[in-house]
Amino acid sequence: MSGSTPSVWQPGRATVYRAVLDALTEYGPRRTGVTHIARLARCNRSYLYRNWANPQALLREATLSELRRVLHVAREVREPLPAGCLEARVVVRAARLVREHPVVRTMARTDPELFHAAILRPTTAWHTLTWFWLHEHVTGRLTGAAERDRTSLAVLTTALPYALTPPADPSDAEERAKIDARLNTTIHLCLTLPLPCTDCDL
């Protein structure tokens, strides 16, 4: 139509989040900028600045959304397992999905301290999200708020740190199995489940 203003491509939130994750995978958290995200989302920088207060807010929102998705997928355990063993399997699955995520592999290579701080430091949004996920889906079976808090803290600070670090060779199935088995044992101990547990051998 003559004189009409041409439409400008405005990507949806999911498209922008995907662009953020792709940029983080390619450049790492310290080097990812609005220019990279805009190029991958096929939009201009001004669109991003209109919708997010700053690049840090966009990165935080996109990565929290992805962490929620991963934690949701981790709960899709099909094996019939007894209570306790099921929760342990869910944590093992969640840790594997996180450490094998492309963004995490890049962060582990370029800025491992930043990645571990995000999950382990109580002041971060990622820690808070993980904490509440543990409370709802893993330690919720425990009686008493104090016991749930202690167990969730033990899982976050004792069991998970090593299990979130990608191995040198991500394709090494034996190393992957060792990490999973060690984490499974540690989670059993955190949940005061008997060992050895033949109900949920990995």
Side-chain angles (χ1 to χ4, degrees), residues 26-186:
E26 185 173 353
Y27 300 105
R30 301 290 187 188
R31 295 175 55 219
T32 293
V34 172
T35 300
H36 302 127
I37 298 167
R39 175 177 57 81
L40 291 167
R42 295 186 293 113
C43 66
N44 54 43
R45 290 159 48 101
S46 61
Y47 172 80
L48 299 178
Y49 281 116
R50 281 197 307 272
N51 288 277
W52 285 274
N54 52 58
Q56 292 73 31
L58 174 53
L59 264 64
R60 181 176 63 245
E61 197 175 297
T63 52
L64 283 171
S65 176
E66 182 66 359
L67 180 57
R68 285 190 196 95
R69 184 193 69 80
V70 167
L71 293 177
H72 176 76
V73 170
R75 294 175 51 222
E76 297 174 356
V77 175
R78 310 263 181 225
E79 302 96 322
L81 296 169
C85 295
L86 176 61
E87 285 79 4
R89 180 65 59 86
V90 165
V91 175
V92 170
R93 183 170 162 81
R96 183 194 306 153
L97 290 170
V98 169
R99 76 171 176 267
E100 294 181 357
H101 195 285
V103 172
V104 172
R105 288 203 298 265
T106 299
M107 289 183 70
R109 188 180 70 252
T110 62
D111 203 335
E113 293 81 9
L114 180 63
F115 166 66
H116 280 95
I119 295 294
L120 301 177
R121 191 174 296 160
T123 56
T124 72
W126 300 271
H127 175 95
T128 301
L129 174 59
T130 307
W131 175 273
F132 281 111
W133 179 81
L134 285 169
H135 263 236
E136 184 174 0
H137 303 295
V138 179
T139 60
R141 60 183 283 277
L142 302 175
T143 58
E147 184 183 9
R148 284 196 300 274
D149 286 349
R150 282 195 305 271
T151 305
S152 297
L153 183 63
V155 171
L156 272 173
T157 60
T158 303
L160 283 178
Y162 79 91
L164 296 177
T165 304
D169 180 4
S171 64
D172 187 338
E174 185 177 346
E175 182 64 21
R176 181 194 207 197
K178 285 180 182 177
I179 295 172
D180 288 351
R182 181 180 169 192
L183 178 59
N184 186 50
T185 298
T186 308

